[in-house]
Amino acid sequence: MAAPMRRTLVALHRATCSSLKSAEASLDLRRPGPLYVPVRTKKRYFVPPVVGLKRRKQEQNPDAKARTAGIVFRQQYFERPINISCTAGVFDPYVPPEGDARLSSLSREGLKQRAEQLRQSATSQLAIRKIKEYDPQFTSRGFAEQAREIFIEAHGALTQFDKEKLHSLVTERGYPEMTRGNRYKTISWRFLESLEPPKVVHARCPDMVTKGNLYGQVTVRLHSKQILAIYDRFGRLMLGSEEQPKDVLEYLVIERHLVNAYGRWRLHGKIVPSWAPAKDPIIKTVMIPGPELKPGQEFEALNYEVPKPKAVQWNK
């Protein structure tokens, strides 16, 4: 009984499948195709540029080339660090009167200069009041003496090349101006005496970055007698003399970050008037090539005469 029934069921299944196929063919029915998921199939590799292309074409879009190679560049921040412990320059610099330290205060020109200074001192008095709010011990006479001591200690540290002490006495703006060009040189400097008492002639209270970030800039007039001698790396004198003192008139700018509770008065720069005399020329050591000596031969035996340089006409 089981075998004839199985045969009957198989025959019925085959008949059903054939009828379904004929129905699909007549009605043009299609089964849904398999479901495909799109996959990232793009090749990621770096193609070297063709030899002979112009450099301008190669550098057209480097970011696109980096993305093609699968390289991720770090984000670049175009920021410049700034230093707020001192200002970038002298705010409203003091203009020294012509003939200072040479004209008598009793002469006609001296009286005119004195009247002009009194007229311009109103702004300085307001700045001094502002400085006293942050530095209660500030006085014009006492600060002038303090500025002279700062000046002497700073130049003493410069002759000894004491960088740590020099940074504590000179601002970040004045430090490169004092140390530029002093490498491989020997500096001999001495402060002998003050020809006139130092005095405060100018004061300003500028701000930077924000309105409440105040700085104090005080200009001190210093007329003194000094000795300066600079030697090059060969030990030859370049400038000045250790025996002949000179009278020097200087206008020192001393600055302090008033908002900073730990701020100190430091040397910020110097004001050179337009009528100041020109500096002495620097004597430089120049090597003149001599004859080539053979082994065992001495230069003195040749009686060689150093040739003089030819005169050259410089056209402006």
Side-chain angles (χ1 to χ4, degrees), residues 31-37:
R31 293 183 181 181
L35 181 63
Y36 294 100
V37 179

Side-chain angles (χ1 to χ4, degrees), residues 15-29:
T16 305
C17 289
S18 61
S19 63
L20 288 174
K21 286 182 180 179
S22 61
E24 287 179 2
S26 61
L27 297 175
D28 195 14
L29 297 176

Side-chain angles (χ1 to χ4, degrees), residues 241-298:
S241 173
E242 292 194 40
E243 299 178 356
Q244 183 179 0
K246 281 194 173 183
D247 299 344
V248 183
L249 177 63
E250 295 175 307
Y251 298 91
L252 313 176
V253 180
I254 314 295
E255 185 182 87
R256 177 185 173 179
H257 193 193
L258 299 177
V259 182
N260 186 7
Y262 302 98
R264 300 179 59 183
W265 290 103
R266 296 185 294 173
L267 183 62
H268 188 62
K270 295 181 181 179
I271 296 175
V272 181
S274 58
W275 45 265
K279 295 182 179 180
D280 297 335
I282 297 177
I283 304 172
K284 294 185 178 181
T285 302
V286 182
M287 184 186 71
I288 300 176
E292 296 182 0
L293 300 178
K294 298 179 181 178
Q297 190 177 11
E298 294 184 0

Side-chain angles (χ1 to χ4, degrees), residues 67-111:
R67 283 193 226 100
T68 305
I71 302 173
V72 179
F73 283 109
R74 185 178 178 182
Q75 185 178 0
Q76 297 181 0
Y77 298 95
F78 297 96
E79 297 177 355
R80 295 179 60 185
I82 61 173
N83 182 20
I84 62 171
S85 62
C86 70
T87 57
V90 180
F91 181 80
D92 191 11
Y94 173 70
V95 181
E98 188 173 356
D100 194 4
R102 290 180 295 178
L103 295 176
S104 174
S105 58
L106 300 178
S107 63
R108 187 175 181 180
E109 289 79 5
L111 290 174

